[in-house]
Amino acid sequence: MVARTRQLLILLGIAFIIGFLTPRPGRATTGLATLYTGLAEINGPYRVEMRVDPPVSMPGQQIMLTVEIVNQLKATGTPELRLLLPAGVHLGQGGLPTGATVNMQTNGLNWLPVVPANGGHVSFELPLRVETADVPHPEQEITAVLRYDQVELTTSIPIWIGIPPQIEQITIPVQVAVGQPVQLDAQIGGSGPFARRWRLGDGREVDVDRPEIVYGSVGFYEIELEVSNPLTTVSRRQQIAVVPHPAAQFTLEDVTPGIGQPVQFISRSGGQPPLVYQWDFGDGVLSGEANPIHTFEAAGTFLVHLTLENAYGQSEAFLPVTVGLPPEVQMSLPPGGRAGEPVVLMATGDETVVAYRWDFGDGRFLEGQQVSHVYNRAGDFYVIVQAENEFGRSEIGQWLHIDPGILRLYLPLLVNGVGTAVTTIAPGREDDSFAASLPPVELTEPFSLKPIDVPPDSSPAEQLFLYINEARRQFNLPPLNHVFELSRAAQQHTDDMAAFAYTAHLGADGSYPAERLLRYRYPYGYAGEATAWGFQYPWQAVEFWINSPAHRRILLNQYATDVGVGFTQDFSAPNVWYWTAEFGNRLGSPLSPVIRLQEPAADTEAYFTDVIVYRWNWPLELADGQVFVVYLQGNGPEVAVGRVAVPELETRYGLQTAVHEFLSHAGTYTWQVRLEDALGNTLAESERRTILLGPDPAIPTPTPEVTPTAVPTIVPTQTPTPTPQPTIVPTQPPVPPPPVLITATPVPSP
């Protein structure tokens, strides 16, 4: 048996040296290449068809761009077509079509063709030269912008410009035991996306990135990895030896078990059967099972020992296991509360607590050590708080009594109709949907709202809520639910108007109403915002809204289901009294959060030496580890110029930096903001905006030093006249006008 083992080990020593790369004949990867069709079109009075052949390429290759415009009007037309090329693609050798000019700054082409009427068409073919590739970001676009009669339409062709895949290293062990799980992995370079195919040498193939496999027979197996991207396919091979000798290895289902918790131990061992297992859990308990379940009865660190034996030998594995106690937790509740008003609850625990989870007894849950919750109805609720540490969970509960509040006046909610989702705001644009595309509600005579009986201890905001529902009652509409999240958004905006002395729907931080709903976690559709100022009493504000056509259709929207209210009184503010109502629709979808750029505006010009201020909006709070990164990109790789994790004001973030500290020369750049996690993964990204950075004329161009040379005759030369540099005047980004929203300047009645 010793001779047999020695002979096997000699063979293994030879086999382990063999690991080699097999370059396969380059071939296009059909599955990934078909993601890029090379086709795009614009439909309308002028139909534009655009083709790129091939849509997948690499530096040094030439691609052909074909553009055709068809005029479907009854008159000859002269549309304008603007083509924008990626940074690494430039015009090749070839004549331009009639009416075309090249824009070197934007790396594009402007074409003003004359297109005959009634289906007449013009077209051209233009060779393009692929010079460089953005290796980590190979997916690029060729964009066409068609303009005619004050109409602008855009389309893009996705293209792929990258380099072939490279298998830098296959990470597999040179030897495993038969029956032992083994993880296959590899380091891949080149441009993605990648597709991996593993051939295991025993007839099996798997198409996953990091497969875990088991060999059932002893022997040598040649593992081949084939990596494809849209351009081509490469492969690499490496041998692995599967031996009969035992190899002990194990893990456990929960690496931080608590006292009294059953723990599943999982063997990841291998070797030629039959195998004999011997477990020692370090607390005096033994087991002979392959995958035993064990319960530790005391806290501490135990060294778990596995011994594995078969006819070829013995193997051992050790793993320390720390057993702990779940945390201690206490809760603090108020003696009671009122329906419709926030109730603050507090939990305390020991230093091991990592999370608190609350069950409020009304079907809603929240996380946090201190939380605020609003009960929509009166009654007794059993509140449970659960504390968690790495060893387990502990929970306690307590009854909380909620008295009737102003919600006792509510009628059952009746929903008549289907909610409509609010569309995503296009980055960098105002959004007309805040004006709420609702049918108008006509009045036959001016609306008059008289004061009603309200609870004597109700706040002005609560009274505003009651008057909104009273107005709806008079128009035979169901009452709205009071929602705490909406009221937080309304109160924030009301305070904001008073503090910053303005009256608008666009917040001081540049936020839109629907974005504020996202910030305060209202999970349904946006249904409008109404603001008023200068009215001392809530019924005056509601009466004004009903008599205003734009506000009236918001308050009397039959599909609205929820409302939140806010009121601020500030005698140092210009209008003293400020009111806001935020409306929601539970059958609608919330706005999708986007990184919305504020400044600098697109095509802003500045000196290369200027300090540039970047600002943008993001409605959600950042989680731990999340950060905004501002990138600049010219003709070369993009450069990160700064990171921001704290907002300047509410939803507005900003970064001020001198670009010449990161860039080597003036030119045309694009800037973009990305939200990244702690690992650098992109969670969201903004549009790209162009910024033109010109040379600073105040900085003289350095004159090269001339070393004098002895010559027989020194002839003085005329000093060349310096060429005047063009003066680039930085443009200030325009301040975006407030959206066309539901707003008016109320004039209070005396």
Side-chain angles (χ1 to χ4, degrees):
M1 176 173 162
V2 173
R4 176 184 173 188
T5 302
R6 184 175 302 161
Q7 182 181 19
L8 180 59
L9 291 176
I10 292 173
L11 291 173
L12 290 176
I14 297 173
F16 296 162
I17 301 174
I18 303 175
F20 45 89
L21 176 66
T22 304
R24 294 200 165 195
R27 63 183 188 273
T29 307
T30 305
L32 294 176
T34 54
L35 297 174
Y36 306 91
T37 64
L39 301 174
E41 64 179 16
I42 296 175
N43 290 313
Y46 294 97
R47 191 177 75 250
V48 178
E49 294 183 358
M50 207 166 46
R51 296 185 297 277
V52 173
D53 185 27
V56 172
S57 60
M58 62 185 296
Q61 293 184 344
Q62 179 174 286
I63 59 179
M64 187 64 67
L65 173 64
T66 303
V67 178
E68 181 181 37
I69 300 179
V70 180
N71 183 1
Q72 302 183 94
L73 299 173
K74 295 181 180 181
T76 299
T78 56
E80 177 188 359
L81 185 67
R82 183 183 180 193
L83 297 175
L84 303 177
L85 305 179
V89 178
H90 299 281
L91 298 176
Q93 298 296 326
L96 296 177
T98 303
T101 58
V102 177
N103 189 329
M104 302 299 293
Q105 280 191 327
T106 62
N107 193 31
L109 180 73
N110 293 338
W111 188 29
L112 295 171
V114 177
V115 190
N118 300 316
H121 63 91
V122 292
S123 64
F124 69 83
E125 286 189 346
L126 195 63
L128 303 177
R129 186 177 67 255
V130 180
E131 294 184 349
T132 60
D134 186 348
V135 175
H137 305 97
E139 296 180 346
Q140 305 289 334
E141 288 183 342
I142 296 178
T143 300
V145 181
L146 177 68
R147 297 191 180 108
Y148 63 92
D149 298 335
Q150 297 183 343
V151 175
E152 180 174 299
L153 301 174
T154 303
T155 188
S156 298
I157 297 182
I159 61 175
W160 189 96
I161 301 174
I163 62 175
Q166 303 165 10
I167 306 176
E168 299 172 357
Q169 181 181 357
I170 294 181
T171 307
I172 59 175
V174 294
Q175 174 183 325
V176 296
V178 62
Q180 181 181 14
V182 58
Q183 184 89 56
L184 308 183
D185 200 359
Q187 296 180 10
I188 306 298
S191 301
F194 300 111
R196 304 190 194 193
R197 171 165 292 181
W198 296 85
R199 295 183 175 90
L200 306 182
D202 58 358
R204 292 180 293 168
E205 295 184 2
V206 290
D207 296 333
V208 295
D209 289 348
R210 302 176 64 247
E212 184 175 81
I213 62 172
V214 173
Y215 287 99
S217 302
V218 175
F220 298 104
Y221 297 89
E222 186 176 78
I223 296 177
E224 180 182 18
L225 171 60
E226 187 178 85
V227 178
S228 305
N229 70 0
L231 190 65
T232 188
T233 299
V234 297
S235 66
R236 182 168 181 164
R237 292 176 290 167
Q238 188 167 314
Q239 280 196 342
I240 186 172
V242 180
V243 300
H245 301 75
Q249 186 178 345
F250 69 93
T251 184
L252 58 159
E253 190 175 46
D254 186 348
V255 296
T256 55
I259 295 176
Q261 173 189 344
V263 181
Q264 174 79 62
F265 285 82
I266 303 168
S267 173
R268 298 179 59 84
S269 307
Q272 190 70 39
L275 296 171
V276 178
Y277 292 84
Q278 182 63 49
W279 294 83
D280 183 346
F281 297 108
D283 58 356
V285 179
L286 306 177
S287 175
E289 299 179 15
N291 298 288
I293 296 177
H294 179 64
T295 301
F296 293 94
E297 301 297 340
T301 299
F302 302 88
L303 185 63
V304 179
H305 176 200
L306 170 62
T307 303
L308 185 67
E309 186 175 353
N310 69 0
Y312 294 86
Q314 179 178 296
S315 176
E316 297 177 291
F318 299 86
L319 182 66
V321 177
T322 300
V323 181
L325 291 171
E328 298 180 357
V329 61
Q330 298 293 329
M331 67 191 310
S332 175
L333 304 183
R338 298 176 62 202
E341 296 183 356
V343 178
V344 178
L345 306 93
M346 170 73 78
T348 56
D350 58 37
E351 66 277 1
T352 66
V353 177
V354 296
Y356 295 92
R357 294 180 177 86
W358 293 85
D359 179 348
F360 299 108
D362 61 352
R364 288 185 285 180
F365 307 87
L366 202 61
E367 294 188 6
Q369 185 174 6
Q370 179 175 315
V371 295
S372 177
H373 183 62
V374 176
Y375 288 91
N376 290 331
R377 65 182 188 275
D380 293 309
F381 301 90
Y382 192 68
V383 180
I384 298 174
V385 63
Q386 185 182 84
E388 179 179 348
N389 67 5
E390 60 177 333
F391 300 109
R393 300 183 181 91
S394 301
E395 66 178 38
I396 58 173
Q398 185 176 327
W399 287 99
L400 177 65
H401 180 74
I402 300 297
D403 290 323
I406 65 171
L407 297 180
R408 65 181 180 271
L409 303 175
Y410 300 172
L411 299 176
L413 174 63
L414 300 175
V415 178
N416 300 317
V418 178
T420 302
V422 176
T423 57
T424 301
I425 303 173
R429 294 185 56 194
E430 303 285 4
D431 186 64
D432 292 337
S433 66
F434 293 139
S437 56
L438 300 170
V441 179
E442 302 296 336
L443 293 180
T444 58
E445 58 184 13
F447 178 76
S448 177
L449 185 62
K450 302 301 182 182
I452 61 174
D453 292 333
V454 297
D457 56 346
S458 58
S459 68
E462 291 171 335
Q463 294 175 21
L464 179 66
F465 166 76
L466 294 176
Y467 277 109
I468 289 173
N469 273 340
E470 171 59 17
R472 290 176 61 88
R473 183 193 66 79
Q474 295 188 26
F475 286 86
N476 298 318
L477 291 172
L480 302 177
N481 294 313
H482 177 270
V483 175
F484 176 67
E485 291 83 357
L486 291 176
S487 286
R488 289 186 63 196
Q491 189 61 53
Q492 184 276 330
H493 187 57
T494 307
D495 292 340
D496 198 58
M497 288 192 294
F500 291 94
Y502 73 94
T503 52
H505 293 272
L506 195 68
D509 62 343
S511 62
Y512 292 131
E515 291 176 320
R516 293 193 286 273
L517 268 58
L518 276 179
R519 179 171 181 81
Y520 291 101
R521 303 294 181 180
Y522 179 69
Y524 305 110
Y526 168 75
E529 177 183 85
T531 60
W533 50 91
F535 297 111
Q536 183 175 0
Y537 301 106
W539 61 268
Q540 295 174 316
V542 175
E543 185 178 89
F544 161 73
W545 287 336
I546 297 298
N547 284 303
S548 165
H551 294 82
R552 183 167 61 245
R553 59 184 181 179
I554 295 292
L555 268 71
L556 304 183
N557 175 13
Q558 62 177 326
Y559 302 128
T561 60
D562 300 332
V563 69
V565 288
F567 168 75
T568 298
Q569 176 179 279
D570 186 352
F571 287 95
S572 64
N575 296 286
V576 183
W577 301 285
Y578 296 82
W579 307 86
T580 300
E582 302 282 3
F583 295 84
N585 184 350
R586 296 201 175 197
L587 300 179
S589 301
L591 182 78
S592 298
V594 296
I595 301 174
R596 186 166 51 80
L597 301 184
Q598 283 198 21
E599 60 174 328
D603 299 325
T604 292
E605 297 180 356
Y607 295 137
F608 180 67
T609 55
D610 283 351
V611 174
I612 307 297
V613 178
Y614 307 87
R615 286 195 171 94
W616 62 95
N617 285 87
W618 176 253
L620 305 181
E621 295 183 0
L622 298 189
D624 291 341
Q626 292 182 354
V627 64
F628 288 107
V629 185
V630 179
Y631 289 94
L632 274 174
Q633 184 174 21
N635 292 329
E638 63 182 8
V639 178
V641 298
R643 298 172 180 269
V644 178
V646 179
E648 291 180 336
L649 177 65
E650 298 293 333
T651 69
R652 188 184 73 204
Y653 294 79
L655 174 69
Q656 179 174 294
T657 183
V659 295
H660 68 272
E661 296 179 3
F662 304 90
L663 305 176
S664 59
H665 57 82
T668 301
Y669 293 83
T670 60
W671 68 282
Q672 185 182 48
V673 180
R674 297 182 198 153
L675 176 61
E676 299 179 355
D677 62 16
L679 301 178
N681 299 315
T682 299
L683 306 177
E685 62 183 20
S686 73
E687 64 172 332
R688 283 189 178 273
R689 282 191 181 176
T690 302
I691 183 170
L692 309 176
L693 301 175
D696 190 343
I699 299 178
T701 303
T703 303
E705 297 182 2
V706 179
T707 303
T709 304
V711 293
T713 304
I714 300 177
V715 180
T717 59
Q718 182 179 359
T719 303
T721 303
T723 302
Q725 298 290 333
T727 301
I728 298 178
V729 180
T731 62
Q732 294 297 325
V735 178
V740 184
L741 304 183
I742 317 134
T743 183
T745 304
V747 179
S749 301

